Every structure is written in structure tokens, then in C-alpha cells.
């Protein structure tokens, strides 16, 4: 991908997230999250991701998260015995929220504001890199993204991706007929979003234009392998792990895939 176009898209997405950040640090939900962070065993991870990480046994492992938002998931790894070491996100405003949560939890991971395509030196190599819902869709260049992730992994380190299933991207829950395909699975042009970004399904008004990419599952796996990682597990799930708008696609007689877990590993040699 043309680096200048990639930079333009990532800069636009950064601005959109910065403008949206205040929506996520207000009201009773935010106050409750701060209270929870101060409790023993704090975790916002759902049962599916908790099961995956428990099976992998992350106790004592140095853990990083790419696209960590306000670091609530990164901090949750401590409840499973992991050592939250590094969170990377483009948004300084979300990382400021992460600092508040980390202080409440009594943890001190490095929270770094950076473009994944232009990471600073000295971030170290980690035993686990976590990527969760919504990160891949904001990435215009998957091969370069996974190359950067590879560099964050120690030899033998594992990558865990718990994401929305790309097939779900063909539907538009706000459409008049939300159960009919609305977008092509093979669309290559990004969707342009002008609204402020929130998770509650509510309209919070207009923000800055941002760019959401539909990547096929094949493109995701291929880019991961191209970066030199070894695929260890790929599991598709019938449940949603994204915004509440998509709950209507669960529990259908003819159930479509809604999320997936990918586990890959950096070779030791």
C-alpha cells in the first residue's frame, strides 16, 4: 500500500477516536468501571476470551495489547496471572483514561501513543500480544500491520486475536432489512464513517471522517502467515463480541459466524 495513503487514513482515524474519547469517560458506566478496576480479580474479558487465555496459561508472561483503547482489557490480564506490560493505541485521550484505570488497579503498564505503522524503538518483545474487537477494521494495510506485531513478539511468543468475524461485515443493522447482505464481502474501498464512535448503539452526532476496512478471513490469515507467524488455532464463534446493534444476528435458525479466535506464534528460530 502507498505509505502516504496509509498515513492519511491512519491520521484521520486517530482524529476520529480523539474526538470520540470523551464519550467513553463520563456517566455512571465510567464511574463503575473505575470502581471495578480497584477490586481484586478485575476483568472485563468475556468467557470465550478468558477460556482461550486460560488454556494458553499466561501466568507470569509479559503481555502487550495493540489497539488497547483505555487499557481495560490489558489490565484484565492480571486476573489470569499475566503481567500487563505494554498497551499501544493512537489516541492519547483514551490512553489518559487507561492511566486512570491502571492507577485504580495498582498496575503500571507502559501506555504508548503510537501509529502501529511507525512504532518507536524500545518497546521490547513480549510473550503475548493481544488484539481484540475492532482493531483490524481500522487497519488499511494488513501485511504491514502483522509485520509490526511480529516485531513485538519474543521468539516463541503468541499472538491472540479475538475479533468480529469478517462475514458479519456484509450486514448493516440499521438498514431497513438488516438480515439481507448490504455490503460486499470482497469490498476493497473503505467505508467512510462521519459519526462519533461509541459502543452503546446511540447516535452521538458527527465527528471527523474515519475509514473502516472490510478484510476477508483469508486476507487476515494470509497476512499473519506472510509476517512469519505460525498459525496454531483458528476458531469461529456464533456469538457477537461487538456493539449491541449486532445482537440481532445472534440465535438465528441459520446461524452465521459472528466472531473468531486466532492464535499464532512467532517461531523460536
Amino acid at each position: 500500500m502507498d505509505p502516504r495513503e496509509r498515513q492519511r487514513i491512519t491520521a484521520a482515524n486517530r482524529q476520529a477516536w480523539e474526538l470520540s474519547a470523551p464519550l467513553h469517560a463520563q456517566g455512571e458506566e465510567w464511574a463503575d468501571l473505575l470502581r471495578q478496576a480497584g477490586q481484586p480479580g478485575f476483568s472485563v474479558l468475556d468467557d470465550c476470551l478468558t477460556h482461550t487465555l486460560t488454556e494458553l496459561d499466561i501466568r507470569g508472561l509479559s503481555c502487550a495489547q495493540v489497539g488497547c483503547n483505555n487499557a481495560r482489557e490489558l489490565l484484565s490480564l492480571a486476573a489470569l496471572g499475566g503481567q500487563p506490560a505494554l498497551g499501544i493505541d493512537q489516541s492519547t485521550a483514551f490512553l489518559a483514561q487507561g492511566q486512570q484505570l491502571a492507577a485504580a488497579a495498582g498496575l503500571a503498564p507502559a501506555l504508548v501513543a503510537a501509529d502501529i505503522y511507525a512504532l518507536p524503538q524500545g518497546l521490547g518483545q513480549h510473550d503475548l500480544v493481544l488484539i481484540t474487537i475492532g482493531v483490524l477494521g481500522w487497519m488499511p494495510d494488513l501485511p504491514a500491520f502483522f509485520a509490526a506485531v511480529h516485531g513485538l513478539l519474543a521468539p516463541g511468543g503468541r499472538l491472540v486475536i479475538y475479533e468480529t468475524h469478517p462475514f458479519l461485515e456484509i450486514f448493516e443493522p440499521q438498514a431497513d432489512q438488516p438480515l439481507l447482505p448490504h455490503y460486499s464481502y470482497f469490498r476493497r474501498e473503505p467505508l467512510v464513517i462521519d459519526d462519533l464512535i461509541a459502543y452503546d448503539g446511540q447516535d452521538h452526532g458527527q465527528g471527523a471522517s474515519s475509514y473502516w476496512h472490510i478484510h476477508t478471513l483469508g486476507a487476515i490469515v494470509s497476512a499473519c502467515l506472510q509476517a512469519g507467524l505460525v498459525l496454531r488455532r483458528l476458531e469461529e464463534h456464533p456469538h457477537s463480541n461487538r456493539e449491541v446493534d449486532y445482537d440481532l444476528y445472534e440465535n438465528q435458525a441459520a446461524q452465521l459466524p459472528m466472531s473468531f479466535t486466532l492464535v499464532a506464534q512467532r517461531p523460536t528460530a
Side-chain angles (χ1 to χ4, degrees):
M1 183 178 191
D2 180 2
R4 291 172 298 182
E5 178 65 4
R6 185 176 67 202
Q7 185 178 37
R8 183 189 70 81
I9 290 173
T10 54
N13 288 346
R14 180 188 311 115
Q15 182 183 12
W17 278 104
E18 292 282 41
L19 291 174
S20 301
L23 296 174
H24 301 256
Q26 61 186 15
E28 184 56 34
E29 186 173 350
W30 169 248
D32 188 50
L33 185 60
L34 278 172
R35 285 193 294 268
Q36 290 178 40
Q39 299 301 311
F42 166 70
S43 178
V44 298
L45 308 181
D46 70 7
D47 290 343
C48 182
L49 182 54
T50 298
H51 177 73
T52 297
L53 295 172
T54 301
E55 278 196 331
L56 293 177
D57 190 5
I58 67 170
R59 289 175 297 176
L61 299 187
S62 174
C63 302
Q65 185 177 13
V66 174
C68 70
N69 195 265
N70 63 16
R72 62 193 182 280
E73 293 167 329
L74 175 66
L75 299 171
S76 297
L77 299 178
L80 300 176
Q83 298 178 356
L86 173 67
I88 300 170
D89 201 273
Q90 285 199 102
S91 170
T92 57
F94 271 110
L95 293 178
Q97 297 171 23
Q99 295 288 3
Q100 294 182 63
L101 291 172
L107 298 169
L111 299 180
V112 178
D115 179 348
I116 188 65
Y117 299 113
L119 290 178
Q121 299 296 314
L123 297 181
Q125 293 183 321
H126 304 275
D127 304 307
L128 176 79
V129 172
L130 177 65
I131 296 168
T132 60
I133 172 65
V135 171
L136 296 182
W138 298 109
M139 297 298 148
D141 188 338
L142 284 182
F145 173 79
F146 279 104
V149 170
H150 181 280
L152 293 169
L153 282 165
R158 291 167 295 186
L159 166 67
V160 174
I161 301 176
Y162 179 49
E163 262 279 15
T164 187
H165 198 291
F167 191 71
L168 193 61
E169 300 289 359
I170 73 173
F171 297 99
E172 174 50 67
Q174 302 301 326
D176 292 338
Q177 295 180 289
L179 295 177
L180 292 181
H182 192 84
Y183 305 108
S184 170
Y185 182 68
F186 300 99
R187 180 187 176 112
R188 288 298 167 261
E189 291 299 314
L191 301 172
V192 181
I193 302 168
D194 295 317
D195 298 331
L196 289 169
I197 305 163
Y199 308 138
D200 58 8
Q202 303 299 312
D203 182 359
H204 293 278
Q206 188 168 345
S209 294
S210 58
Y211 299 86
W212 179 262
H213 302 264
I214 297 175
H215 301 298
T216 67
L217 190 59
I220 294 167
V221 173
S222 295
C224 183
L225 299 178
Q226 182 183 331
L229 300 175
V230 178
L231 184 65
R232 296 302 187 195
R233 183 193 307 177
L234 178 61
E235 184 178 0
E236 298 166 288
H237 310 298
H239 65 264
S240 177
N241 61 357
R242 64 181 301 172
E243 300 96 329
V244 295
D245 310 50
Y246 289 85
D247 289 353
L248 66 92
Y249 298 106
E250 289 188 327
N251 303 314
Q252 300 292 319
Q255 182 60 52
L256 55 87
M258 297 191 69
S259 55
F260 74 95
T261 298
L262 183 153
V263 178
Q265 188 168 26
R266 177 172 175 170
T268 56

